[in-house]
């Protein structure tokens, strides 16, 4: 048989409280109530505490250390209107609640608990840092975010740590316009398009820790994220210089230009200047004039040919025949066609029955 050891939970009493105040000491003429009102810091870490209690006399409490205990619920803090820092990491808290009177809370540490939903922080409108990393969630569960809580924190929250919580989407975080640091390591983020939308909204973001997500295996992931988040100065512990950022921005601009060019069906012709345009117009005009010439009429070709070959022959009919060459071979009418006298002409009502004459 294995022996079972029962560990008695520690209760918060005045005797424990007086031992956990750091260097502050009670004055000789000071009552306990007066002394407790002066207390600003209480160090209850690793004391095997299961319940938050008996702190209502500490009206000016601003920093409370309760990490590494056995606390299951956040209770009995309605008095803590001056509380600014609360450390509750590594407990067994399953529900985020009980902080509706902590309206001046600046930093909240809740890592390594059992919290599934980030909620009930609507009254904490001064909250600047929220650390909820590595919750001990049931298999298959992931951390969720109440949109009402996020909206209430949108103007104040600067630092958010949600690492190791099975988070597969950060779309809802786009409303956190003041966020400067996002730690979302070892989650299940996969979409570059989603990151582009969110980082485009977080214009104040300068520090990002995102390693350990599936999306990190995408080609050129780091370069693409640097372009998405224009003010990013630190990513996964590595500094981002202005020189590298400008280089990547230029690379993106060139890529976009090539993409737009490839999407055009017909590209305009490349010209060297106005002369090319004039030359093209002249060519088009000559083609149009040639197409309007009536069939059967003689023309002056490059080698003096018409309906013939480049050896200078000329063959045509117009109620008669005429055959000749540039070599002086006589035609059917007895006249000679010579290179020196090669202008062909014909009249509409000629006297030779329409035979082309040599002039």
């Amino acid at each position: 048989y294995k022996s079972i050891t029962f560990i008695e939970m520690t209760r918060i009493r005045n005797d424990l409280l007086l031992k956990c105040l750091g260097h502050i000491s009670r004055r000789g003429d000071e009552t306990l109530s007066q002394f407790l009102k002066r207390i600003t810091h209480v160090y209850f870490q690793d004391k095997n505490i299961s319940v938050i209690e008996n702190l209502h006399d500490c009206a000016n409490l601003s920093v409370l250390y309760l990490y590494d205990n056995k606390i299951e619920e956040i209770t009995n803090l309605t008095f803590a209107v001056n509380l600014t820092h609360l450390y509750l990491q590594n407990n067994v808290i399953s529900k985020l609640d009980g902080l509706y009177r902590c309206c001046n809370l600046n930093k909240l540490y809740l890592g390594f608990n059992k919290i599934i939903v980030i909620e009930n922080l609507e009254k904490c409108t001064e909250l600047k840092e929220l650390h909820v990393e590595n919750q001990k969630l049931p298999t298959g569960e992931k951390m969720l975010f109440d949109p009402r809580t996020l909206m209430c924190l949108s103007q104040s929250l600067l630092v958010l740590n949600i690492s190791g919580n099975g988070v597969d989407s950060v779309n809802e975080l786009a409303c956190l316009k003041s966020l400067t640091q996002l730690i979302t390591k070892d989650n299940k983020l996969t979409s570059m398009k989603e990151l582009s939308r969110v980082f485009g909204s977080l214009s104040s973001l300068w520090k990002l820790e995102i390693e350990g997500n599936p999306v990190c295996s995408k080609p050129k992931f780091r370069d693409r994220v640097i372009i998405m988040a224009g003010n990013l100065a630190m990513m996964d512990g590595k500094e981002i210089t202005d020189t590298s950022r400008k280089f990547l921005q230029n690379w993106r601009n060139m890529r976009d230009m090539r993409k737009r060019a490839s999407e055009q069906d017909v590209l305009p012709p490349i010209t060297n200047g106005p002369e090319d345009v004039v030359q093209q117009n002249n060519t088009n005009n000559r083609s149009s004039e040639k197409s309007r010439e009536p069939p059967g009429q003689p023309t002056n070709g490059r080698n003096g040919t018409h309906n013939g070959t480049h050896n200078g022959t000329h063959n045509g009919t117009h109620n008669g025949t005429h055959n000749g060459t540039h070599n002086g071979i006589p035609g059917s009418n007895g006249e000679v066609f010579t290179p020196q006298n090669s202008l062909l002409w014909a009249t509409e009502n000629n006297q030779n029955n329409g035979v082309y004459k040599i002039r």
Side-chain angles (χ1 to χ4, degrees):
Y1 295 98
K2 292 183 179 180
S3 60
I4 299 175
T5 303
F6 293 95
I7 302 175
E8 184 179 357
M9 295 295 105
T10 303
R11 302 291 300 270
I12 298 177
R13 308 282 190 189
N14 285 340
D15 56 342
L16 177 63
L17 180 58
L18 295 174
K19 295 176 182 178
C20 301
L21 300 178
H23 299 291
I24 191 172
S25 59
R26 182 178 175 182
R27 298 176 187 144
D29 58 347
E30 194 173 36
T31 65
L32 180 59
S33 178
Q34 291 173 335
F35 175 56
L36 294 178
K37 286 181 181 180
R38 286 200 300 116
I39 292 173
T40 58
H41 291 61
V42 175
Y43 303 88
F44 281 151
Q45 68 271 17
D46 196 18
K47 293 292 187 293
N48 206 34
I49 295 171
S50 61
V51 179
I52 304 172
E53 58 182 345
N54 297 322
L55 292 174
H56 52 273
D57 289 330
C58 303
N60 290 307
L61 185 65
S62 61
V63 180
L64 178 57
Y65 294 92
L66 282 164
Y67 59 87
D68 294 341
N69 283 297
K70 306 295 181 182
I71 298 169
E72 298 180 358
E73 296 180 81
I74 304 174
T75 56
N76 300 318
L77 290 177
T78 55
F79 72 94
V81 293
N82 294 310
L83 191 65
T84 61
H85 295 62
L86 179 57
Y87 297 83
L88 281 166
Q89 59 266 44
N90 199 26
N91 280 280
V92 287
I93 301 168
S94 59
K95 185 176 178 60
L96 183 49
D97 202 358
L99 297 172
Y100 58 92
R101 292 293 301 275
C102 301
C103 54
N104 289 304
L105 195 62
N106 290 157
K107 297 183 180 182
L108 178 58
Y109 294 84
L110 288 164
F112 297 92
N113 279 282
K114 297 183 177 182
I115 300 170
I116 297 178
V117 183
I118 304 303
E119 58 183 342
N120 299 320
L121 294 175
E122 290 84 351
K123 301 298 182 180
C124 301
T125 54
E126 299 296 321
L127 191 63
K128 291 179 172 53
E129 295 189 21
L130 177 60
H131 300 262
V132 289
E133 72 280 5
N134 297 307
Q135 299 299 307
K136 305 163 191 173
L137 304 178
T139 303
E141 291 286 347
K142 63 181 179 181
M143 178 171 283
L144 303 173
F145 305 92
D146 185 341
R148 295 170 298 181
T149 290
L150 293 178
M151 286 304 300
C152 290
L153 298 178
S154 62
Q155 300 302 317
S156 64
L157 196 64
L158 302 178
V159 180
L160 178 62
N161 187 348
I162 55 172
S163 296
N165 289 316
V167 176
D168 57 10
S169 173
V170 290
N171 261 331
E172 294 168 303
L173 305 184
C175 67
L176 301 176
K177 303 299 184 182
S178 299
L179 200 67
T180 61
Q181 300 181 46
L182 176 61
I183 302 108
T184 178
K185 298 187 296 184
D186 301 322
N187 278 308
K188 298 181 179 180
L189 302 177
T190 59
S191 173
M192 286 297 298
K193 289 183 178 180
E194 179 182 275
L195 293 183
S196 179
R197 288 192 298 269
V198 174
F199 293 158
S201 299
L202 304 180
S203 58
S204 299
L205 190 69
W206 67 267
K207 181 179 180 181
L208 174 67
E209 295 185 23
I210 196 172
E211 60 186 356
N213 284 272
V215 71
C216 297
S217 62
K218 300 279 187 179
K220 296 186 181 297
F221 172 74
R222 180 180 173 85
D223 295 345
R224 293 162 71 182
V225 170
I226 292 173
I227 294 173
M228 292 173 188
N231 293 317
L232 207 61
M234 187 75 68
M235 180 176 173
D236 291 330
K238 296 181 180 179
E239 183 181 1
I240 300 168
T241 64
D242 290 338
T243 302
S244 62
R245 189 194 317 281
K246 289 179 181 178
F247 173 81
L248 292 172
Q249 288 173 345
N250 291 335
W251 168 76
R252 179 190 63 175
N253 293 337
M254 290 297 297
R255 182 198 63 185
D256 291 345
M257 289 174 61
R258 291 172 182 169
K259 183 177 180 181
R260 285 194 297 269
S262 66
E263 290 173 351
Q264 295 179 358
D265 294 332
V266 179
L267 295 177
I270 300 175
T271 62
N272 294 326
E275 296 82 359
D276 288 345
V277 178
V278 173
Q279 184 179 1
Q280 180 65 30
N281 290 338
N282 292 338
T283 303
N284 294 339
N285 292 337
R286 287 196 298 269
S287 299
S288 299
E289 291 175 358
K290 185 174 181 181
S291 65
R292 288 196 297 269
E293 291 181 353
Q297 294 296 321
T299 62
N300 292 324
R302 183 165 50 186
N303 292 321
T305 65
H306 178 70
N307 293 336
T309 63
H310 288 285
N311 63 0
T313 64
H314 176 74
N315 302 313
T317 62
H318 190 80
N319 296 328
T321 62
H322 173 77
N323 299 316
T325 70
H326 287 290
N327 295 322
I329 299 174
S332 62
N333 59 356
E335 296 183 358
V336 179
F337 180 89
T338 64
Q340 292 79 12
N341 193 3
S342 61
L343 178 63
L344 297 179
W345 63 279
T347 61
E348 293 180 358
N349 298 309
N350 58 77
Q351 298 176 357
N352 297 293
N353 296 324
V355 176
Y356 293 140
K357 297 183 70 177
I358 302 176
R359 183 179 180 179

